[in-house]
């Protein structure tokens, strides 16, 4: 059985080298004859150094969105993503067709979907559209988050800890396996980061050294020791968090470490299948059950509004037009000359009849709901629930 393509979603702060990293891994896969399928979700980028198979800019004009809705740069990006998310069914259809080509196709399915995201990381990760895109990907393919970090700008304990907290929040927001990619190692080696993540005492030593140098200031907030104590406590707290991450050092300029990155991607793909997918499936089933329950509650409320009380006894005498509640409506009573109209069961879905079997109930509920503008079929599961509730007498 062919392995499903893995979706690699690249996120990172502005200036972390995310787009250059995308170019490097894209080129690496082409050189190794494993052509990826690339998605660009950054509507504000002017030029990208790689060919995107699906580009948000093809369907969304970022500048026009800003102008039309009177938005700033971040609002324009967010609104563009929201508009693009309305096409998620089309996007997923394209990805699934590409991942499962017909037998007669000569084009091999890709092993990787590469997804580039906006530099305004919070706009993608914490927006509804970002959640929709990520959940849709994860529901069909193994999905891995690659968090790109600017190594030279993370060499101090405070900026390092800020990045780790950011990564922690992304991990628990997306609930997807994550790889920390320390980029720009051609400028500064990332060994210090690996040490700080795996050896608590090494981080303490670096923190103490910075305190002695007066990095946090001589007086007030930093000089009081509060900053050092805070960083020390957070480092201790994040030890468990580090154990769930893969860390790779990469240079997008030279290509160093790219092989290690794809090794980590494969490990995270297996981790997704083993640990994350069952949890995603469980959450999806819970959402479906909640949706079905909500639908049943809505239908019950509608039927009560229509005076179609599912708790009424099926033995209750019918009430036909022109007859009082305590009057028997015999078959021979045709004084009004409108037998066809008054006796048609579809005209009076609220009438109880002696032949009130399951099929009759189903027809009554169906007609009552259709009168309210709801499109339901005879085999709608909610109608079956209402019938069962009626037979139980409530």
């Amino acid at each position: 059985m062919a392995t499903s393509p893995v979706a690699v979603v690249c996120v990172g702060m502005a200036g972390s080298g995310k787009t250059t990293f995308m170019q490097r891994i894209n080129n690496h896969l082409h050189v190794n004859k494993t052509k990826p399928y690339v998605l660009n979700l950054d509507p504000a980028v002017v030029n990208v150094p790689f060919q995107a198979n699906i580009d948000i800019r093809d369907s969304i004009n970022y500048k026009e969105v800003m102008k039309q809705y009177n938005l700033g740069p971040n609002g324009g990006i967010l609104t563009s993503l929201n508009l693009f998310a309305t096409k998620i069914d089309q996007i997923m259809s394209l990805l699934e067709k590409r991942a499962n080509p017909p037998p007669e196709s000569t084009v091999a399915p890709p092993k990787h979907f590469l997804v580039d995201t906006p530099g305004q990381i919070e706009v993608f990760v914490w927006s509804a559209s970002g959640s929709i895109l990520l959940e849709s990907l994860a529901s069909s393919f193994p999905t891995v988050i690659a968090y790109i970090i600017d190594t030279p700008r993370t060499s101090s304990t405070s900026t390092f800890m800020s990045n780790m907290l950011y990564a922690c929040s992304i991990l628990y927001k997306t609930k997807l396996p994550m790889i920390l990619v320390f980029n720009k190692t051609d400028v500064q080696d990332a060994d210090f980061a690996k040490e700080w993540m795996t050896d608590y005492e090494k981080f303490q030593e670096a923190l103490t050294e910075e305190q002695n140098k007066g990095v946090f200031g001589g007086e007030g907030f930093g000089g009081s020791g509060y900053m050092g104590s805070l960083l020390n406590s957070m480092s201790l707290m994040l030890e468990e968090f580090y154990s769930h991450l893969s860390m790779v050092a990469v240079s997008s300029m030279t290509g160093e470490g790219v092989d290690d990155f794809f090794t980590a991607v494969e490990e995270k793909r297996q981790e997704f299948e083993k640990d994350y997918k069952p949890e995603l499936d469980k959450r999806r089933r819970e959402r479906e059950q909640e949706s079905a329950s909500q639908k049943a509650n809505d239908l019950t409320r509608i039927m009560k509004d229509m005076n179609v009380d599912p708790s009424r006894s099926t033995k209750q005498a019918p009430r036909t037009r022109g007859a009082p509640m305590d009057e028997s409506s015999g078959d021979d009573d045709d004084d009004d000359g409108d037998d066809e109209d008054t006796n048609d069961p579809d005209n009076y879905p609220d009438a109880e009849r002696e032949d009130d079997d399951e099929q009759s109930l189903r027809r009554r509920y169906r007609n009552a709901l259709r009168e309210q503008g709801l499109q339901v079929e005879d085999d709608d599961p909610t109608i079956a629930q209402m019938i069962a509730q009626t037979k139980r007498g409530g």
Side-chain angles (χ1 to χ4, degrees), residues 14 26 119 130 177 190 230 248 270 349:
N26 182 41
L230 176 64
V248 294
Q270 296 175 10

Side-chain angles (χ1 to χ4, degrees), residues 104-347:
E104 64 273 13
S105 175
T106 59
V107 180
K111 294 184 178 180
H112 300 87
F113 293 132
L114 304 182
V115 184
D116 194 17
T117 62
Q120 289 78 355
I121 187 172
E122 68 283 353
V123 170
F124 179 77
V125 175
W126 279 275
S127 68
S129 53
S131 297
I132 290 170
L133 291 164
L134 284 175
E135 288 180 6
S136 299
L137 275 176
S139 66
S140 299
F141 308 102
T143 304
V144 176
I145 301 293
Y147 180 52
I148 317 301
I149 299 173
D150 187 341
T151 306
R153 294 170 60 184
T154 314
S155 55
S156 71
T157 55
S158 57
T159 54
F160 172 82
M161 189 55 60
S162 297
N163 262 295
M164 294 301 102
L165 290 173
Y166 219 124
C168 182
S169 65
I170 294 171
L171 176 66
Y172 290 107
K173 174 64 174 66
T174 62
K175 294 181 175 63
L176 293 171
M178 176 182 286
I179 302 171
L180 295 183
V181 181
F182 283 85
N183 196 17
K184 304 182 183 180
T185 55
D186 55 302
V187 178
Q188 179 164 351
D189 197 285
D191 286 346
F192 73 92
K194 187 174 183 178
E195 283 186 342
W196 289 354
M197 290 177 65
T198 57
D199 191 336
Y200 173 70
E201 293 182 355
K202 288 289 185 181
F203 182 82
Q204 277 191 315
E205 290 175 8
L207 182 59
T208 301
E209 184 178 347
E210 288 184 1
Q211 284 179 308
N212 293 337
K213 290 180 179 179
V215 172
F216 304 129
E219 296 179 358
F221 182 77
S224 65
Y226 174 82
M227 192 66 172
S229 176
L230 176 64
L231 293 174
N232 189 38
S233 299
M234 287 192 295
S235 177
L236 187 61
M237 177 193 70
L238 290 177
E239 274 193 308
E240 179 66 21
F241 167 68
Y242 295 149
S243 65
H244 294 285
L245 297 178
S246 293
M247 177 267 186
V248 294
V250 172
S251 170
S252 296
M253 291 299 294
T254 65
E256 181 183 1
V258 173
D259 287 327
D260 295 336
F261 171 75
F262 282 106
T263 300
V265 167
E266 179 59 24
E267 291 174 355
K268 290 299 178 181
R269 184 191 68 77
Q270 296 175 10
E271 182 180 322
F272 176 92
E273 296 286 1
K274 179 183 177 183
D275 300 327
Y276 286 82
K277 193 173 187 301
E279 180 63 24
L280 289 171
D281 291 341
K282 178 184 176 183
R283 294 210 311 269
R284 182 164 57 249
R285 287 193 299 270
E286 289 174 350
R287 286 196 301 269
E288 290 172 353
Q289 290 172 358
E290 289 175 1
S291 177
S293 176
Q294 183 63 41
K295 184 178 179 183
N297 291 337
D298 291 344
L299 289 174
T300 302
R301 186 172 63 252
I302 290 171
M303 299 186 80
K304 286 182 178 179
D305 291 342
M306 295 187 300
N307 293 323
V308 183
D309 187 357
S311 64
R312 290 169 61 180
S313 170
T314 58
K315 300 298 183 181
Q316 182 176 341
R319 181 182 183 183
T320 57
R321 187 169 54 185
M325 282 296 291
D326 59 351
E327 182 179 346
S328 175
S329 54
D331 294 338
D332 297 332
D333 187 6
D334 55 356
D335 292 341
D336 60 2
D338 195 15
D339 290 343
E340 182 179 355
D341 184 48
T342 50
N343 293 329
D344 185 353
D346 286 348
N347 287 338

